[in-house]
Amino acid sequence: EKPPPREGLRDGPISARPPNIAPARLDPADAGFSSRERPRHPLEHRRSPATGRPPGQAQRPPPESRPPDIAPRRRSPYPFDTQQSKYAVSHPKEAVFETMMEFDVLAFGFAFVEVPRKRFGVPFTEPGEFVGPFPSADTAIMIDTAARLGARCRYIAAFGDDAFGAVVRNRLAGDGVDLTYTRTLEGYHPAVVFVRYNADGSREYLSTGGGRRLTPDLAAPEAVRSAKWVHFSGEVIHACRSGEEREALMRVFDSLLPEQKVSLDPNDGYSMEGFVEAMAPFVARADLILPSEGEAKTLVGAESDEEACRLLAAKGKIVALKRGKRGCDIYIGDEVTHIDAFRVEEVDPTGCGDSFCAGLITGLVEGMPIERAGVLANAAGALQATRMGPMEGSMPRAVVDAFIRENGR
C-alpha cells in the first residue's frame, strides 16, 4: 500500500501535479519512504542534489581506480596505416601524443606581396605590364596550400599595417589558417617584391626593401607545440641571422618537442653566404627534407644531389628531391621512389615548390603511403603553376583529387 505523501511537500503529491510540471529532485529519505518501497516512475533517473547521482545508485569509482580495460581512450582523426605506409608511427606513445595536437602543420615566416611581370622575357629595365599585388612568402604559400588541402594549419608571422599586409592576412584567414600568433606591427611596411621571368623559366627578383620582421613574443612555446609538423625554410632561416628575428627563430626551434615532426625546405638559400652553417642544426633535426635540384648536395657537401639524398636517408630522414617537370624522387632508407610530374600549361612557376611541400606533408599527416603522398604533392605543385600569382593556383582538395583522377593517377 502506497504511504500518503507528506504535508507541504514541494509540487504536491504526484497524482495532483499537472502533467507539464516536473517533479522535484528528491532523495528517497525526504519522501518519507525507503528506496525499496518508493514507487517507480519514468523520472526515477533524476539525480539527487545531495549525492549527484540517481537515488540508490552506488558511487562510480574515480577514474584512477578503474580497470585499464575500461579507461577512456583518445584516437587520432588521422591514424597512420602501419600496414600500407612506409612512413608510420611505430610507437604507441607517439600516436597518443598526436591526438593532443590541435593542428596538423605549423609554419613560421614572413608575409609580403609579389608583383610579377605579365609576360615572360621582359627585363626590369624596359617598360612593361605588371599584375598584382599577390599574397606571397614561401612558408605563407606552403601553409595556405596545406589548409586548402584539408590540413589544420597555424602560422606565426608579423603583418604590415598597410594595404599589402591586409592582402596576405585576408588570404590566409579566408582559407582557414589560424592566425592567433600573428601581429600587425605599427609602422611596419614589408617588402614588395617584383618578379620577372626569362624565356627559360628562370626568375629574377627586385625588392623595394622595407625589410622582414619577426618578434620573439610571437614564437610562444605553446603555439609551437600545438602542431604535429613544424615547417622551416632556408629563406626564412637565412633572413633571421641576427636581432630579434634570430631570437624568434631560435625560440621556435628550441620549443620543439622530441615527438614533433620537422620538415625543412632549403628553398633557394643555398646560394647565400653562410647557408650550410646556418642550416646545420635544422638539417640534423628534420624528419623530412625537401630540396630542389642543386640544394641537396650543398647541404651535406656531396658531389651530387643523389649522393646527398642517400646520405640523408641513411640517417633516417625522408628526402623528397623536387625535380620540376621531371617529377620527384623520394628517398627512404635505401629505397628510392620516382613519381612522375603532371603535365600542365605553365603560367607562373612561383610557389610550385612550396605547394609541393604542402601536398607531401598533408599526405603524411593523413597516413598515406609515401607514393600516394608524392602524387598529391606533385598535383598540388602542378596546379599552382596554372595561375598567375604565387598563391592563386592553390586549389581546394576536391579539385586536386579530381585532377589526379582525370590524369589516371
Side-chain angles (χ1 to χ4, degrees), residues 76 78 80 89 94-101 228 261:
S76 168
Y78 303 112
F80 284 80
V89 171
E94 292 185 17
V96 172
F97 180 82
E98 287 193 350
T99 67
M100 301 168 62
M101 297 296 189
K228 300 173 186 177
K261 304 295 183 182

Side-chain angles (χ1 to χ4, degrees), residues 211-388:
R212 303 181 183 187
R213 290 193 55 192
L214 287 165
T215 56
D217 59 298
L218 296 175
E222 63 271 19
V224 177
R225 295 167 182 170
S226 67
K228 300 173 186 177
W229 283 84
V230 178
H231 183 74
F232 295 96
S233 87
E235 183 178 340
V236 172
I237 293 168
H238 193 268
C240 296
R241 287 171 291 175
S242 61
E244 62 180 3
E245 287 76 25
R246 178 67 178 177
E247 184 180 348
L249 171 67
M250 296 315 297
R251 190 175 184 191
V252 171
F253 186 77
D254 293 338
S255 297
L256 293 168
L257 297 173
E259 296 88 350
Q260 287 180 282
K261 304 295 183 182
V262 172
S263 55
L264 173 65
D265 180 5
N267 199 26
D268 293 334
Y270 67 101
S271 60
M272 302 175 184
E273 185 179 353
F275 171 72
V276 175
E277 294 76 12
M279 295 288 286
F282 296 89
V283 172
R285 178 61 179 83
D287 300 279
L288 170 65
I289 302 178
L290 304 118
S292 296
E293 291 181 307
E295 295 174 347
K297 63 182 182 181
T298 306
L299 282 177
V300 297
E303 293 293 326
S304 66
D305 286 328
E306 180 182 358
E307 179 187 350
C309 291
R310 290 189 181 278
L311 288 171
L312 292 168
K315 296 180 180 180
K317 303 179 186 302
I318 300 175
V319 186
L321 180 64
K322 295 174 287 187
R323 306 185 66 191
K325 296 179 180 179
R326 294 191 298 277
C328 67
D329 295 331
I330 301 180
Y331 295 75
I332 300 180
D334 57 358
E335 296 185 15
V336 184
T337 302
H338 175 76
I339 301 171
D340 290 331
F342 290 86
R343 303 302 175 189
V344 296
E345 183 177 348
E346 183 182 279
V347 176
D348 182 358
T350 303
C352 295
D354 304 312
S355 294
F356 174 94
C357 295
L360 190 61
I361 295 169
T362 300
L364 294 179
V365 165
E366 295 180 3
M368 287 184 176
I370 196 64
E371 296 84 355
R372 297 308 305 168
V375 169
L376 178 63
N378 277 352
L383 288 169
Q384 186 65 259
T386 62
R387 302 284 180 87
M388 179 62 72

Side-chain angles (χ1 to χ4, degrees), residues 41-287:
H41 57 81
L43 297 172
E44 180 180 73
H45 65 281
R46 299 292 293 269
R47 294 181 179 274
S48 164
T51 64
R53 59 184 185 275
Q57 184 186 66
Q59 184 175 2
R60 192 180 185 191
E64 59 270 16
S65 65
R66 297 177 201 162
D69 62 332
I70 64 168
R73 293 177 173 83
R74 302 181 67 183
R75 297 185 181 273
S76 168
Y78 303 112
F80 284 80
D81 187 343
T82 58
Q83 299 300 317
Q84 298 182 20
S85 178
K86 297 176 183 176
Y87 182 81
V89 171
S90 58
H91 196 288
K93 183 178 180 181
E94 292 185 17
V96 172
F97 180 82
E98 287 193 350
T99 67
M100 301 168 62
M101 297 296 189
E102 184 180 359
F103 296 94
D104 297 316
V105 190
L106 176 140
F108 169 85
F110 302 105
F112 53 83
V113 298
E114 285 191 14
V115 183
R117 279 288 199 193
K118 192 172 182 178
R119 294 190 299 111
F120 279 35
V122 182
F124 285 132
T125 55
E126 295 181 8
E129 291 182 285
F130 289 90
V131 291
F134 294 113
S136 190
D138 58 349
T139 51
I141 299 168
M142 190 286 300
I143 206 70
D144 184 78
T145 304
R148 301 207 82 190
L149 290 174
R152 300 169 299 170
C153 297
R154 167 170 278 174
Y155 197 46
I156 297 177
F159 296 101
D161 66 347
D162 54 16
F164 288 160
V167 166
V168 188
R169 173 182 281 277
N170 292 344
R171 171 58 61 86
L172 296 176
D175 286 339
V177 177
D178 179 86
L179 302 178
T180 301
Y181 290 86
T182 62
R183 178 188 296 176
T184 299
L185 300 179
E186 184 177 356
Y188 170 45
H189 302 286
V192 177
V193 180
F194 293 86
V195 188
R196 61 170 293 271
Y197 306 99
N198 295 312
D200 61 1
S202 60
R203 287 165 284 182
E204 181 182 352
Y205 297 95
L206 179 62
S207 175
T208 62
R212 303 181 183 187
R213 290 193 55 192
L214 287 165
T215 56
D217 59 298
L218 296 175
E222 63 271 19
V224 177
R225 295 167 182 170
S226 67
K228 300 173 186 177
W229 283 84
V230 178
H231 183 74
F232 295 96
S233 87
E235 183 178 340
V236 172
I237 293 168
H238 193 268
C240 296
R241 287 171 291 175
S242 61
E244 62 180 3
E245 287 76 25
R246 178 67 178 177
E247 184 180 348
L249 171 67
M250 296 315 297
R251 190 175 184 191
V252 171
F253 186 77
D254 293 338
S255 297
L256 293 168
L257 297 173
E259 296 88 350
Q260 287 180 282
K261 304 295 183 182
V262 172
S263 55
L264 173 65
D265 180 5
N267 199 26
D268 293 334
Y270 67 101
S271 60
M272 302 175 184
E273 185 179 353
F275 171 72
V276 175
E277 294 76 12
M279 295 288 286
F282 296 89
V283 172
R285 178 61 179 83
D287 300 279

Side-chain angles (χ1 to χ4, degrees), residues 16-62:
R17 295 177 203 154
N20 62 341
I21 298 181
R25 295 186 177 186
L26 298 177
D27 194 85
D30 295 332
F33 43 75
S34 70
S35 60
R36 181 170 298 182
E37 296 171 338
R38 65 183 171 84
R40 303 180 67 84
H41 57 81
L43 297 172
E44 180 180 73
H45 65 281
R46 299 292 293 269
R47 294 181 179 274
S48 164
T51 64
R53 59 184 185 275
Q57 184 186 66
Q59 184 175 2
R60 192 180 185 191

